[in-house]
Amino acid sequence: MDVVQPIMWSPVGDGVRILDQRELPTRELYRDLRTVDDVYQAIRTLSVRGAPAIGIAGAMGLTLALSDDALDRTQAMSAIAGAAARLKSSRPTAVNLAWAVDRVYRLALRNSGDTRALRECLRDEATRILEEDRAMCRRIGEHGATLIPDGARILTHCNAGALATGGMGTALAAIYVAREQGRTLEVYADETRPLLQGSRLTAWELSRAGIPVTVLVDGAAASLMRDGEIDLCIVGADRIAVNGDAANKIGTYPLAIAAKHHGIPFYVAAPASTFDPSTSTGDEILIEQRDASEVRCGFGAPTAPDGVGVYNPAFDVTPSTLISAIISDRGVHRPPYHFE
Ligand code: MRU
């Protein structure tokens, strides 16, 4: 399956090249990020987004702290420490970001080379993170495809596809692999308020791959289930606690409740880098609150009166009791969950 690649090294000088997801579905615009701050801003503003992809961007972005060969060891280490802290602060919920940045930072602490050697070593590690993610996506797809019967009508939320990862996605990887294996299927993509990752991104990447997709407003999902039009739901995750509680894009939790009510399997797909052994339950997951302007005036037109109060959490937590199975690169996990 030929999928879009949203993040790579810039082929021109030091930099990280991203497909700017704020521009989709209107324009396919690639941008080169040249500084740590460029990467921080790209993550904050969702030009690059999705838990695995922001981890990869953070790891690659860290190397940009060392663009100046003249830095001595102390200056280089201080630049990396500052960059790591700044990048990790860009978004708090997806554990993949801290996981990937810390992995590269730990390697820096162990490397005793000069700035140029250190940069090369960190660049290799960030490349490994990207390549490992690609392989993990493929394995998630293979495990997930075993849960997708021929003719399945699948509901998904947000974008857990190639645009959100270094490979073919997580939730959408299962769909891509099922399709590769010759099954016919149909996808329903929740629009995903307020930033429309479902309609702008999931519908874009599935259409591009030739997979039939229908967009619906988030509030229509339960009715579609009641009408008997959905066979299974599959979504991604930004952090999975030890007990299997899963944080994902706001609107996932009500979807899981509706699926339970209608007896529809509800699956969560994520790589091992999304499991957080230091979080016992979903209650401990920090939920990012985003700016009121996303709700009051999302894409240019005012959608609420000026100054009105806004509640705009970016994620919610689905309790593990509502999750039929969690699909990872390690296999299909069934309850009771215990991830370490
Ligand atoms: O705010 P976003 O667009 O970064 O939110 C992304 C999601 O919630 C995805 O479902 C999740 O990161 C999994 S991506 C494989």
Side-chain angles (χ1 to χ4, degrees):
M1 182 67 66
D2 171 35
V3 292
V4 62
Q5 204 184 330
I7 181 158
M8 62 202 84
W9 294 113
S10 167
V12 197
D14 269 355
V16 179
R17 178 161 290 187
I18 58 155
L19 173 58
D20 190 337
Q21 299 191 30
R22 288 176 313 176
E23 301 289 336
L24 290 172
T26 318
R27 284 204 301 165
E28 227 173 295
L29 178 76
Y30 285 87
R31 281 203 297 131
D32 286 336
L33 312 174
R34 299 289 179 197
T35 65
V36 170
D37 201 57
D38 287 350
V39 177
Y40 171 89
Q41 293 299 344
I43 296 175
R44 262 293 322 127
T45 58
L46 275 54
S47 288
V48 56
R49 48 145 300 281
I54 63 175
I56 295 162
M60 291 168 101
L62 197 53
T63 67
L64 303 179
L66 298 178
S67 293
D68 180 1
D69 283 347
L71 295 178
D72 66 23
R73 172 82 193 167
T74 312
Q75 290 168 325
M77 290 314 293
S78 143
I80 293 185
R86 176 135 174 88
L87 289 166
K88 286 199 289 180
S89 73
S90 57
R91 296 193 78 189
T93 303
V95 70
N96 314 59
L97 176 59
W99 171 84
V101 169
D102 284 342
R103 179 168 148 178
V104 175
Y105 181 62
R106 275 197 304 272
L107 194 67
L109 293 176
R110 292 202 302 271
N111 184 289
S112 54
D114 63 12
T115 299
R116 179 189 284 261
L118 185 57
R119 186 174 61 237
E120 283 315 306
C121 163
L122 301 194
R123 202 178 147 101
D124 289 349
E125 186 70 353
T127 304
R128 268 192 293 277
I129 289 174
L130 171 63
E131 284 167 359
E132 286 170 21
D133 188 70
R134 187 171 301 144
M136 283 197 283
C137 287
R138 162 56 63 178
R139 288 201 293 276
I140 291 169
E142 280 161 6
H143 294 302
T146 63
L147 301 170
I148 299 183
D150 193 33
R153 295 156 306 169
I154 304 165
L155 181 58
T156 190
H157 189 72
C158 194
N159 173 266
L163 286 168
T165 65
M168 64 197 322
T170 58
L172 297 195
I175 291 169
Y176 288 135
V177 173
R179 180 60 177 248
E180 277 177 5
Q181 293 173 346
R183 267 158 271 168
T184 55
L185 41 87
E186 200 180 333
V187 179
Y188 286 90
D190 270 356
E191 180 186 42
T192 314
R193 290 268 164 167
L195 298 181
L196 310 184
Q197 288 92 332
S199 55
R200 290 190 305 108
L201 308 178
T202 296
W204 180 81
E205 80 164 80
L206 289 176
S207 310
R208 189 179 173 276
I211 294 181
V213 55
T214 301
V215 171
L216 58 144
V217 297
D218 300 358
S223 301
L224 198 60
M225 292 183 195
R226 193 199 49 205
D227 290 347
E229 296 295 323
I230 297 299
D231 299 303
L232 62 100
C233 302
I234 183 163
V235 299
D238 287 79
R239 189 183 296 239
I240 298 177
V242 174
N243 74 342
D245 292 351
N248 191 50
K249 178 53 56 192
I250 190 74
T252 303
Y253 174 38
L255 202 62
I257 294 173
K260 182 80 156 189
H261 181 76
H262 293 95
I264 295 168
F266 188 87
Y267 301 123
V268 171
S273 53
T274 304
F275 295 131
D276 183 5
S278 68
T279 298
S280 320
T281 75
D283 293 345
E284 294 163 29
I285 299 176
L286 180 62
I287 300 295
E288 175 185 3
Q289 301 291 326
R290 291 192 62 89
D291 200 85
S293 60
E294 291 179 351
V295 175
R296 284 201 201 116
C297 189
F299 289 89
T303 45
D306 247 2
V308 79
V310 166
Y311 171 59
N312 187 22
F315 302 98
D316 58 23
V317 174
T318 299
S320 58
T321 46
L322 298 178
I323 302 174
S324 315
I326 294 177
I327 306 151
S328 82
D329 44 295
R330 299 174 186 160
V332 175
H333 313 266
R334 297 279 181 180
Y337 303 109
H338 189 80
F339 299 109
E340 280 185 322

